Amino acid sequence: MTGNILESITAQYHSLTRSGKKLADYIFAHTGEAQYFSISTLAENSGVSEASITRFCHGLGLAGYNDFKLALAKTDRVTDMGELSDSPQSIASDDSLNCIFQKIHQASVLSLNETLGLLDENTISQAVDLLVNADRVYCFGHGGSMVMAMEAWARFSTASSKFIQITDSHMQIMATALATEKDVILVFSYSGSTKDMESTLQTAKMHGVPVILITHYPNSRAAEFADVVLLCGYNEGPLQSGSIPAKVGQMLLIDCLFYGFCRKNPEATAAARSATAEAIAQKLL
């Protein structure tokens, strides 16, 4: 595919199937927001199947849905720094440093507020109970989400030794294959739609291993395998992959889980945190 994706859709419109035209009509009417959707969300909103969306993308000469989202994002006007210009937090090179600071702050506050608004006490309590009662907790993620998995592991490691973090996707699925229903997988996936993560979660389901998912998309593929789904705020577009504001919301969820975990056994966690702090103190000058 070359040129503008919307022009390509228009050129092929009359040769599309009924479901293809239905999808195209939806995309024309919702171009700005569609680029933020997971494939499951687009399928639900447009009224066509995920398989139809995949065929639609292939018909446009694209490798898959992620390529389609990227092409769709590029049809929108962007700043000279690659930021989507439809957001008041978009940054351009002619912004002063102070203006950039303000926009970054606004985006982070927006992420925190949206995540707080999505928090549900009962869902957090379910997740905390799983973490407290687990023999082992595996913290998984891929790409930018791996960073969040490491953040969770580092945070919980100050209070308990049962949290484990594995970076390699092959080792993740191997550990999952040997896990039991007494273990828990705490998985981070903003999109909830990655191949490696799907393979790991399918294995977890097969072995009855409980899964806690932190994602932005409640109807994502990963959510189908999760026992508990916690939602983070902030719409991250394809051109903003790995954005800090998206991570800020996830870090709020990590801390909510951490303090929920600690309050279940305050004496033990206080002793563990004191012990780890004393050990680290020896490393300081």
Side-chain angles (χ1 to χ4, degrees), residues 92-108:
S93 64
D94 58 355
D95 288 336
S96 67
L97 281 177
N98 185 63
C99 180
I100 291 174
F101 302 157
Q102 294 294 327
K103 288 182 176 181
I104 292 172
H105 174 262
Q106 290 167 11
S108 295

Side-chain angles (χ1 to χ4, degrees), residues 76-208:
D76 263 8
R77 192 167 63 86
V78 297
T79 71
D80 58 356
M81 292 179 65
E83 294 277 305
L84 295 175
S85 57
D86 62 351
S87 167
Q89 289 83 39
S90 295
I91 296 172
S93 64
D94 58 355
D95 288 336
S96 67
L97 281 177
N98 185 63
C99 180
I100 291 174
F101 302 157
Q102 294 294 327
K103 288 182 176 181
I104 292 172
H105 174 262
Q106 290 167 11
S108 295
V109 170
L110 177 63
S111 178
L112 287 170
N113 288 340
E114 289 182 350
T115 302
L116 182 63
L118 293 168
L119 276 176
D120 177 76
E121 186 175 346
N122 291 333
T123 307
I124 290 287
S125 295
Q126 291 175 29
V128 167
D129 287 342
L130 285 173
L131 296 177
V132 169
N133 296 321
D135 287 345
R136 294 168 296 188
V137 179
Y138 294 97
C139 302
F140 290 165
H142 295 99
S145 293
M146 173 61 70
V147 176
M148 303 315 302
M150 294 178 72
E151 286 283 358
W153 167 71
R155 188 72 169 120
F156 279 96
S157 289
T158 65
S160 173
S161 61
K162 67 181 178 181
F163 288 79
I164 301 166
Q165 202 273 324
I166 301 174
T167 56
D168 183 79
S169 61
H170 291 189
M171 299 302 291
Q172 286 182 5
I173 200 168
M174 287 168 60
T176 303
L178 297 177
T180 73
E181 59 186 16
K182 294 182 180 180
D183 300 318
V184 167
I185 294 176
L186 174 60
V187 57
F188 293 80
S189 180
Y190 180 88
S191 69
S193 303
T194 61
K195 294 179 181 178
D196 284 337
M197 189 55 62
E198 182 175 354
S199 299
T200 300
L201 297 186
Q202 284 177 334
T203 303
K205 198 73 171 179
M206 188 185 310
H207 292 271

